[in-house]
Amino acid sequence: MDYENLKSPTEFLKSMLATLPDEAILREYETWWEAEGKAISTAVDRGGTPWLKMFDPIGERVDEILFPASYWKMLRKGYQAGSVWRAFEAGSLIPSYLLGYLTSFYDTGLYCPYTVSLSTAVPLDKYGAKEVRERFLPQLLRKDESVWQGATWMTEAKGGSDLGAGVETIAREEGMHWLLNGEKYFASNAGAELAVVAARREGAPSNVRGLSLFLLPRNREDGSLNYFIRRLKDKIGTRSVPTGEVELKESEAYLLGQPEQGIYLILEVLNISRVANSVGSVALMHRAMIEALSFAQKRIAFGKPIVEHPLLCRQFDERVSLLKGAFALAWEAVSLLNEVWRETPPYSERYHLFRVVAHLAKYWTAELAVQTAKWAMEVYGGIGVLEEFGIERWLREAMILPIWEGTPHRQILDGLEAMERKRAHELLFTHLAPLAAPQALEETAGRVEALLDLPLEERESQAEAVFRDLAVFTAETLQNRPVTSPMVS
Amino acid sequence: MDYENLKSPTEFLKSMLATLPDEAILREYETWWEAEGKAISTAVDRGGTPWLKMFDPIGERVDEILFPASYWKMLRKGYQAGSVWRAFEAGSLIPSYLLGYLTSFYDTGLYCPYTVSLSTAVPLDKYGAKEVRERFLPQLLRKDESVWQGATWMTEAKGGSDLGAGVETIAREEGMHWLLNGEKYFASNAGAELAVVAARREGAPSNVRGLSLFLLPRNREDGSLNYFIRRLKDKIGTRSVPTGEVELKESEAYLLGQPEQGIYLILEVLNISRVANSVGSVALMHRAMIEALSFAQKRIAFGKPIVEHPLLCRQFDERVSLLKGAFALAWEAVSLLNEVWRETPPYSERYHLFRVVAHLAKYWTAELAVQTAKWAMEVYGGIGVLEEFGIERWLREAMILPIWEGTPHRQILDGLEAMERKRAHELLFTHLAPLAAPQALEETAGRVEALLDLPLEERESQAEAVFRDLAVFTAETLQNRPVTSPMVS
Amino acid sequence: MDYENLKSPTEFLKSMLATLPDEAILREYETWWEAEGKAISTAVDRGGTPWLKMFDPIGERVDEILFPASYWKMLRKGYQAGSVWRAFEAGSLIPSYLLGYLTSFYDTGLYCPYTVSLSTAVPLDKYGAKEVRERFLPQLLRKDESVWQGATWMTEAKGGSDLGAGVETIAREEGMHWLLNGEKYFASNAGAELAVVAARREGAPSNVRGLSLFLLPRNREDGSLNYFIRRLKDKIGTRSVPTGEVELKESEAYLLGQPEQGIYLILEVLNISRVANSVGSVALMHRAMIEALSFAQKRIAFGKPIVEHPLLCRQFDERVSLLKGAFALAWEAVSLLNEVWRETPPYSERYHLFRVVAHLAKYWTAELAVQTAKWAMEVYGGIGVLEEFGIERWLREAMILPIWEGTPHRQILDGLEAMERKRAHELLFTHLAPLAAPQALEETAGRVEALLDLPLEERESQAEAVFRDLAVFTAETLQNRPVTSPMVS
Amino acid sequence: MDYENLKSPTEFLKSMLATLPDEAILREYETWWEAEGKAISTAVDRGGTPWLKMFDPIGERVDEILFPASYWKMLRKGYQAGSVWRAFEAGSLIPSYLLGYLTSFYDTGLYCPYTVSLSTAVPLDKYGAKEVRERFLPQLLRKDESVWQGATWMTEAKGGSDLGAGVETIAREEGMHWLLNGEKYFASNAGAELAVVAARREGAPSNVRGLSLFLLPRNREDGSLNYFIRRLKDKIGTRSVPTGEVELKESEAYLLGQPEQGIYLILEVLNISRVANSVGSVALMHRAMIEALSFAQKRIAFGKPIVEHPLLCRQFDERVSLLKGAFALAWEAVSLLNEVWRETPPYSERYHLFRVVAHLAKYWTAELAVQTAKWAMEVYGGIGVLEEFGIERWLREAMILPIWEGTPHRQILDGLEAMERKRAHELLFTHLAPLAAPQALEETAGRVEALLDLPLEERESQAEAVFRDLAVFTAETLQNRPVTSPMVS
């Protein structure tokens, strides 16, 4: 197999997609990463958790995150390339996800700021009151260094799976604002100028129905800090995005959409990031393979490069095949989301089809990312565990992927729910029918139906194997699609 | 399923073995770990790579490794418990591997010093000249704080798989000593008072036949340093064993065994550590499960502990089953090694049976260790990637396990070689026959034979799937063994 | 000069004091430090800021400081030796300061926990309501591992010099408690079970008169956390005491003494720690010298140990002389405090004499500590700046000494105030008269009087030179005292 | 006093010098530092010791220092501005020292690479054989990114004061090269493309007469590594220059000058760096003051900025005066060196005058740098010891200054030697006569003569006080010089 065209992520995208929009932009972005970005990214990873400057010397609270200057350069590069603004200018999410693939190939953690900024801009655009939208949205879409960042803060210290019980932040209406009080435990992209935040209205029920979504600026109207970063968290990877604990103290916020529909808006936010997680997982898988490849082409054992040893060669071939399937699956989620992202409740069948594909993609691509990063370390052998050579980084980066935006358990159970309630599996099989071998399709469909017929406890207990096989089946089926079909808008 | 008896490694060993030798010793050791050792181990992991004090203030080379004092206490605890000396006193490796299981359960990296010390003592005992053995062996077997440590240094910078080409260290005979010159790139337990070292005799062929095994003391006869630690390596895990680069400069050494048989002796050393790697992998798998369990019993979601959610509950059950199979497989390697460890070439059939079981065990237990550590992080969800909670440590520790003592590729190919040359698979199937379902055995045997019939390139290319299935089959078969059978000497 | 008796701090104390109480206890404590404590202290310093575990895995706030286990052993050693309880058992501060000298000799930062614990116990004993005293004081005086620690938190983010303006924490009386709200920016010994805390009563004037002193337990009556550690601070030294930012949120507290007399109580607390700072500074100066000495005796240049080179030899002699003067000055502050520590306002003349001696001692001993630590690095030459050899630690430790408990500016101006308002200089000169050469005394007194006669601005502007000379004069005069005089109670 | 013009180092230079050459260049350099360099410098300091990548993944030795990319940008900025090449283009050292002042103001450690590169270029130019000079000198003088760096490696593990005994590196002549074997313990700017290295010729006497100076390229003629970096050292400061231990193994080198004159060449190299140390010390003193000032202007206590408090105000005024004196003294060393730097032995009287001024300047400016950095921390109070605010950095940086290029002891004794042997003090007094008050000059001269009349032991023992006073006297005298006099060439 010829691996050379794998070495460029842009080249790979081109080979996988019938048409590649923004090719020149992607090439320029890739060139920058190779020339400059990779070295910055490595330094940021090695630098570990950045410092949080909480007070200035005079004792004023400032909550400034002390990344090295080159971090900001790297970060802004992606905004300027269009990770957020292009989606609004093109009326399509495709440009964002294409750039996201490259970003994640070079620095998986860095993809997070762009994703959460996009996930802030979209609900603001869809659900923000006119004056709120007009005031804040343009800040997120600037093309220069003054661009604002977004963030999406839902989870609190009691955990994120059971959001209905876990969100204890309270929102109180007062004058033109809502005032929020509470603590957000996993505040990705802490320091962002805007955040969308889940909170419970005073007196609202203590389940998911009681949740609303709010827009929270970094600064109050009077210019003072509107939220406080209590600390940044030491993570094993994704050091290119600062994750903090954020305190809300009478923090000014703006309601997005209908107060009772908060949970739908929250799930819409998750749609965007869950798909980004899938795209990012594939890119990381890709990167880890390339790193393994470049080593295996140089390391000599028993008289020849180890990439030419039959066993390793076979593993590379299998990984390439898995990569292509994973990409096809993730990109299907992208394409479907691009059809439905402007929907508001109640949703179409297409939306439910999207949801089940997104769960399958999130689940399976993250799994492959971790497995591939682990495998790449094994290819390196002993030096694979040394920090000096950096290959271990990709496992550290990968481990967030099955966890962020819902663990495998969450994907399986939420996917199951979409099948039960919305018959999403039927939509999926209909969708796949033109591409799949009829017998395989039928057999897979039979297993899913059998699962759904089980009593609840039993159904959940046995779901994983079926869900995994469904993901693999979907990936392999989509991979068979003729490349001439127009996959992107 | 009742998980509670899993929480104590001693209890688990007792449940898995027909009789548990040294139970009181194991209980005391476990008690110490719970009361004191765990906290030390955590601090050592967090402390990162220790400092190497290379010179004293006066400019004399000292090469002292600056662990915190509590490290030495933790390290000596295991020596005193009998990780090395009991093997010689009991004439059996079982006590060492039992202690090793506990050590690895609490600190996987710490198991390395004991293993390499044992792997030094055994060839010294078997192959050392009388005066060398009498002078050095008792030092390794002391029961007090003055005990010496061993080390096994084979690999050099060009890599460890192809040892025949990779060893460039040269040994020159001069008077009573051999003098060694070269560099060892992965010197585990750097600082040990004794090491066994692979080197090539001057003028010997540049393949594995040219290798001999030497005993190398830390200090020369005149008391000065006999080897130099150039630096310690920053690793993602296993920080409880210092790994360094060691320089040999006219270093005094003693030949072990016949000069032409070095490669056999090297492989015998590897036997001990490969089995230890299997035992340690199972213990780490066990530990990661326990950590996941203790969290899942406390974390509440949707109104009940998550361990009671059907999907997670099912995963725990499956992990327990995998754990028992992995243990059975690893312990079979222990038992067989305990039969053959005193053999010298030419070896018995039992030895070749051991070898194939050891390859299967090394391969499969390490794979499970990594998978389980990853899964435990997923159970923790978001806090799984935070350094603060320590669950990520088990993945960092686990990643060495597929790599140390030969990567999966190495296990597969060396296992294949044992089958081709020694018909070791036939020995295995005969060994398993009393325990296995005849049809399953036959089917498995058929697949192995079919593989072996393929041409070389094809055989290696297709080996992995067969090898993996053979490992699973062997584990499951051994797990079925009635627990009343005497598994330990 | 014979330097050997300098090498033991106990021996040095014995040589400086007419009688040495608790000699056996001091010797045992020193023996422990040499055998075990030094290695722990080094590891704690190298470990840097400990981690703060703010939440447990289930999301409950715990605010646990993750020192290595050996830290707690080291810390408790000093409590058990009697750093706090002996003062109450003996009715004298002398045993505490003697132990403090040894503590600081071995780990300057560690002296802080004992000092602030003593500084908590004393006002609790003097000013606590009966039931508060009976409930909490015994916890601070336990002799076993269950001993509680104290802490003294005054300063907030706006700075500590101008306490009247800087304290923004508000105390509100409610039922049996006062409830405190605010933030303490330099919370030494964060995590202590008890703290004395400066706060302003609701509605009280916004100057020092509005301040009161409160006792604040770690846990509320209901067992939950009563204060929160927002973060620990990264400091260049004194890593053996955790310094944090502490948040008070409706924190339960008990008023100590009269509400309007808070500032007096605060200053009494400072008396104890300021004297400890002086004793600790002398001990650090002593330690740095010993480190320099042990190097200079071994390093050979131009054919002999550098300690025998005339220039360096002279420097050692001068340092020894300065050390003895510094000790005499610091110990005078100890002796006088030991006379007046039980006084309550209004204070005696002896109290004012103590105050001026304490300001001189704090100022001058800290200055010498820094200078000597710097000089010790110069003696080491190039290796003096390498972290590997640890001599640089003493400068990092020393730099806190001029700053803690009031910068040099504060000592000078507060000393000046004591002279102006209380004629403390006259008390001092009377005190010194029996020991000083009359002419020198007269000349010094004349300079002080001339300073005090200047207009305010001019007086402050010119104060430093006079104050410094007065400190040196006092130190040299006290050093002349015949050693047979009973200096300790 | 108006402090504002102190805030710009260029402005300060302009105010101190009658004419400021290269003003536009300096302003541009300052602008870059303010806009970009300061942030890089802070990140490099915080990053700690960079990693040394000793082997590539394939096992080839590479010894690459892994600074973040922005480090190289910062480093090259100074080379391109002309830190080295301008000296050769202008035929004057003045441009280098002016740039050095700015460099040190912003990053004291970074001044080292430029200094050692200049100190490599000068002896290569003066003493290199024609073909060696033509081959290597242009590399050091390039104006673009491809510029080579130099380094000056003298000291070995036994210490640097007694170079005659301390240098154990041996040089053996073989064909066109000398081959060097040994270890350099303090290899500043490790990784430099060229180094000048002190070594002893085979069979040469074991004192300073046996030393020669060699030029050592990074790579051998065949392109392979010519020296090896064993490790980088963890230092408390100056992290902008990598300091390593370097191993010479049959390293190719070129003799500079006459073999017997090595010690003279070594001292000439030291002349350049000792003067740079003085200039750098003044700049650091300046920087620490500016940092203190900017804080003192903002921090409010007792109702006004603390810079307006009389005591602190006085301290600022005194520091400004000391700064100006220190600058005058350091710049006199620059001016004199600029007259004599092209001399070869035997040297002129002017050269000996330079030497004594250089010793005084090195001694006194380093002392002031440390004192001022310490004082700046005190001005900051409690936050002065927090790593977060960075003021502590200046003390960490400053501590190298009294040590590098000879400790205070070395300056005093070598200065004394220049007076005894060359009557350099007489040259100095003659030089100062036009500027000094006759009586003060006479009194100072009398003290020096009296010192010199003492017997050797006594003379050294008493030298420090006289030497210090002579430094202060010289600084104050030079400070009085009318600013219109042309101080620079």
Side-chain angles (χ1 to χ4, degrees), chain D residues 216-458:
Chain D
L216 176 94
R218 174 99 168 103
N219 293 103
R220 293 175 197 278
E221 304 258 340
D222 67 5
S224 63
L225 289 178
N226 193 32
Y227 67 79
F228 301 94
I229 305 174
R230 185 166 50 202
R231 58 170 180 166
L232 298 178
K233 288 167 176 289
D234 296 311
K235 298 170 294 181
I236 58 162
T238 64
R239 289 167 184 159
S240 289
V241 56
T243 305
E245 295 170 13
V246 159
E247 295 175 344
L248 308 176
K249 297 179 178 173
E250 297 288 280
S251 301
E252 300 170 359
Y254 305 90
L255 181 68
L256 294 177
Q258 299 304 313
E260 308 78 17
Q261 290 194 331
I263 186 61
Y264 292 103
L265 274 64
I266 291 169
L267 291 176
E268 287 186 18
V269 165
L270 271 174
N271 286 340
I272 294 172
S273 53
R274 189 171 288 146
V275 171
N277 201 93
S278 306
V279 168
S281 295
V282 180
L284 183 142
M285 181 192 184
H286 186 178
R287 174 66 181 271
M289 284 177 60
I290 292 309
E291 294 292 329
L293 179 62
S294 78
F295 177 76
Q297 289 177 330
K298 278 179 283 181
R299 164 71 84 181
I300 308 295
F302 303 103
K304 58 183 175 183
I306 61 174
V307 74
E308 296 176 18
H309 293 201
L311 173 53
L312 195 56
C313 186
R314 168 70 165 259
Q315 290 183 333
F316 270 106
D317 288 353
E318 287 174 354
R319 290 278 151 195
V320 171
S321 178
L322 285 168
L323 174 68
K324 290 180 175 174
F327 182 83
L329 179 57
W331 205 259
E332 193 70 11
V334 169
S335 299
L336 288 167
L337 178 59
N338 205 36
E339 292 181 31
V340 304
W341 67 302
R342 294 188 177 285
E343 289 191 17
T344 55
Y347 300 112
S348 70
E349 286 208 332
R350 202 71 177 166
Y351 185 91
H352 300 304
L353 170 62
F354 157 74
R355 271 197 62 202
V356 77
V357 170
H359 286 306
L360 293 167
K362 165 69 171 72
Y363 170 84
W364 183 234
T365 57
E367 180 65 26
L368 285 176
V370 175
Q371 281 184 15
T372 305
K374 161 189 171 284
W375 168 80
M377 288 175 71
E378 291 170 4
V379 171
Y380 272 68
I383 62 175
V385 300
L386 301 185
E387 298 178 4
E388 188 175 352
F389 295 98
I391 191 68
E392 47 77 49
R393 177 181 176 188
W394 303 108
L395 183 62
R396 290 188 289 106
E397 297 280 351
M399 268 315 299
I400 196 65
L401 296 167
I403 292 175
W404 257 352
E405 321 307 337
T407 61
H409 313 88
R410 216 58 260 139
Q411 304 308 318
I412 295 167
L413 296 176
D414 288 357
L416 215 59
E417 195 188 68
M419 298 184 208
E420 287 160 18
R421 296 210 189 159
K422 307 293 178 183
R423 309 304 294 166
H425 54 300
E426 296 176 3
L427 303 170
L428 176 63
F429 293 127
T430 304
H431 185 64
L432 295 178
L435 302 164
Q439 193 178 347
L441 186 71
E442 194 174 333
E443 197 240 354
T444 303
R447 288 185 60 202
V448 172
E449 287 293 351
L451 177 72
L452 295 174
D453 285 346
L454 292 172
L456 177 62
E457 288 261 324
E458 196 63 9

Side-chain angles (χ1 to χ4, degrees), chain B residues 313-383:
Chain B
C313 186
R314 168 70 164 258
Q315 290 183 333
F316 270 106
D317 289 352
E318 287 174 354
R319 290 278 152 195
V320 171
S321 177
L322 286 168
L323 174 68
K324 291 180 175 175
F327 182 84
L329 179 57
W331 205 257
E332 192 70 10
V334 170
S335 300
L336 289 167
L337 179 58
N338 204 37
E339 293 181 30
V340 304
W341 68 302
R342 293 189 177 285
E343 288 191 16
T344 55
Y347 301 111
S348 70
E349 285 207 334
R350 203 69 178 167
Y351 184 92
H352 300 303
L353 170 62
F354 156 74
R355 271 197 62 201
V356 77
V357 171
H359 287 304
L360 292 167
K362 164 69 172 72
Y363 170 84
W364 183 235
T365 58
E367 180 65 25
L368 285 176
V370 175
Q371 280 183 16
T372 305
K374 161 189 172 283
W375 168 80
M377 289 176 70
E378 292 171 3
V379 172
Y380 272 68
I383 63 175

